[in-house]
Amino acid sequence: PAASSQVMTFEAPTEMLDDSERERTLDEIQDFGVKRVRALVYWRDFSARPNSKRTPGFNRADHTAYPSATWGRLDRLVDSAERRGVELQVTLTGPVPRWATRSRRGHLDRPRAGEFGRWAKAVATRYGERVNLWSIWNEPNHPEFLKPQFKKRRPVSPRIYRGLYLSAERAIHGAPGGSGDTVLFGETAPIGNVHVVSPLAFLRGAMCLSSGYEKKRGCGKLRIDGYAHHAYTRRNGPNYVHPEGDDVTIGALSRLVAALDRAARAGAIEGD
């Protein structure tokens, strides 16, 4: 019983950025009736010297300062989507360049928010009016996409994500033509465990809220244009409601709605 106005979004992250697969893939997607595609844009893949410990010396907020081949695949995807009249949702996410991590080891551990903001500004400036829908980080509550998730059994990924989100959101909205763009918060995975922070626990941590949704001092309001969540279900089926109250599968989306309402009432996010 989906609304007739509902937008269908399709994701094929490998194929859409593959020059040999992109057009065939978009042909097939459009045949499904899709009006929007989501592209995962990995910072490591659209940067400079991603495996180096040394930070590049050029202005990393200026898209024209990057090596000439940096943006080619993404340029061609944006061109194809625009030509077809398909809206493009861009998710800026890790893995990240090695030099952009705090320890300069690996590609997921504590990305530096300031560097992420510079890169986000470069991307947002390059595509200007051509991309108006953005999402910040793919499943940041999952260790395959952001580390660490916990320290001494306490979630730490929400605070890391808050810094990344703030830096990117301000860069996108501050870019030429970006003030009215939609920037989505979250992109959370649905179920927590000892390795994955539960989505609502993650939401509260990133928004500086206690377990009772009371806002902690010293945290300002976040500008959030929408919340992205991966409400995957399990073999129990789409109507199954997970017994853990901080988990949100498709059968328990009301939990996320209620949590966002409580966050707004607590003054954690701008707007109503």
Side-chain angles (χ1 to χ4, degrees):
S4 60
S5 60
Q6 181 170 311
V7 175
M8 181 185 293
T9 304
F10 201 94
E11 175 190 330
T14 302
E15 293 84 354
M16 286 196 299
L17 287 169
D18 184 332
D19 287 339
S20 66
E21 295 283 339
R22 182 181 53 257
E23 297 305 322
R24 181 196 62 79
T25 299
L26 288 172
D27 283 342
E28 187 173 4
I29 288 172
Q30 281 196 288
D31 285 345
F32 298 154
V34 171
K35 300 292 193 298
R36 178 191 293 164
V37 293
R38 172 178 178 254
L40 289 168
V41 177
Y42 300 116
W43 185 3
R44 180 180 61 185
D45 294 348
F46 294 90
S47 187
R49 300 203 303 268
N51 295 312
S52 174
K53 289 184 177 181
R54 183 176 296 178
T55 303
F58 61 83
N59 179 3
R60 294 169 301 284
D62 179 1
H63 67 99
T64 66
Y66 284 75
S68 58
T70 300
W71 309 108
R73 290 179 299 142
L74 189 53
D75 284 348
R76 290 186 285 275
L77 173 59
V78 172
D79 289 343
S80 293
E82 187 175 58
R83 185 172 62 250
R84 293 165 177 270
V86 172
E87 184 180 10
L88 184 62
Q89 174 184 337
V90 170
T91 298
L92 301 179
T93 187
V96 314
R98 187 177 182 183
W99 51 260
T101 64
R102 184 182 296 182
S103 63
R104 300 177 188 267
R105 293 185 301 178
H107 297 278
L108 297 171
D109 191 61
R110 297 183 184 274
R112 291 188 283 162
E115 287 293 347
F116 185 54
R118 293 182 185 94
W119 180 68
K121 182 177 180 180
V123 180
T125 302
R126 184 173 187 85
Y127 299 107
E129 298 291 343
R130 305 176 72 194
V131 176
N132 301 306
L133 178 59
W134 308 84
S135 190
I136 307 303
W137 222 269
N138 180 65
E139 298 194 353
N141 58 327
H142 197 294
E144 288 189 8
F145 305 104
L146 184 65
K147 291 181 177 179
Q149 288 293 314
F150 294 93
K151 185 177 182 180
K152 296 181 179 179
R153 299 185 179 182
R154 296 180 64 87
V156 294
S157 59
R159 295 292 295 177
I160 298 171
Y161 177 73
R162 181 185 175 91
L164 294 168
Y165 177 83
L166 274 169
S167 192
E169 177 269 311
R170 290 168 177 168
I172 292 167
H173 284 137
S179 61
D181 284 5
T182 297
V183 180
L184 305 180
F185 181 97
E187 286 228 8
T188 37
I191 295 174
N193 53 39
V194 295
H195 305 292
V196 179
V197 178
S198 298
L200 296 190
F202 184 87
L203 179 154
R204 291 192 300 270
M207 296 185 185
C208 303
L209 296 169
S210 70
S211 59
Y213 289 82
E214 296 175 343
K215 187 170 176 289
K216 299 173 185 177
R217 293 182 179 180
C219 275
K221 290 185 177 182
L222 294 172
R223 174 176 172 178
I224 295 174
D225 300 318
Y227 193 100
H229 178 66
H230 299 167
Y232 304 132
T233 190
R234 296 295 178 90
R235 65 182 62 185
N236 306 78
N239 295 320
Y240 176 72
V241 176
H242 198 277
E244 171 54 54
D246 278 342
D247 289 339
V248 182
T249 53
I250 196 168
L253 281 175
S254 59
R255 291 175 177 173
L256 178 57
V257 174
L260 290 170
D261 286 343
R262 294 182 74 179
R265 289 196 295 270
I269 55 181
E270 295 180 3
D272 297 329

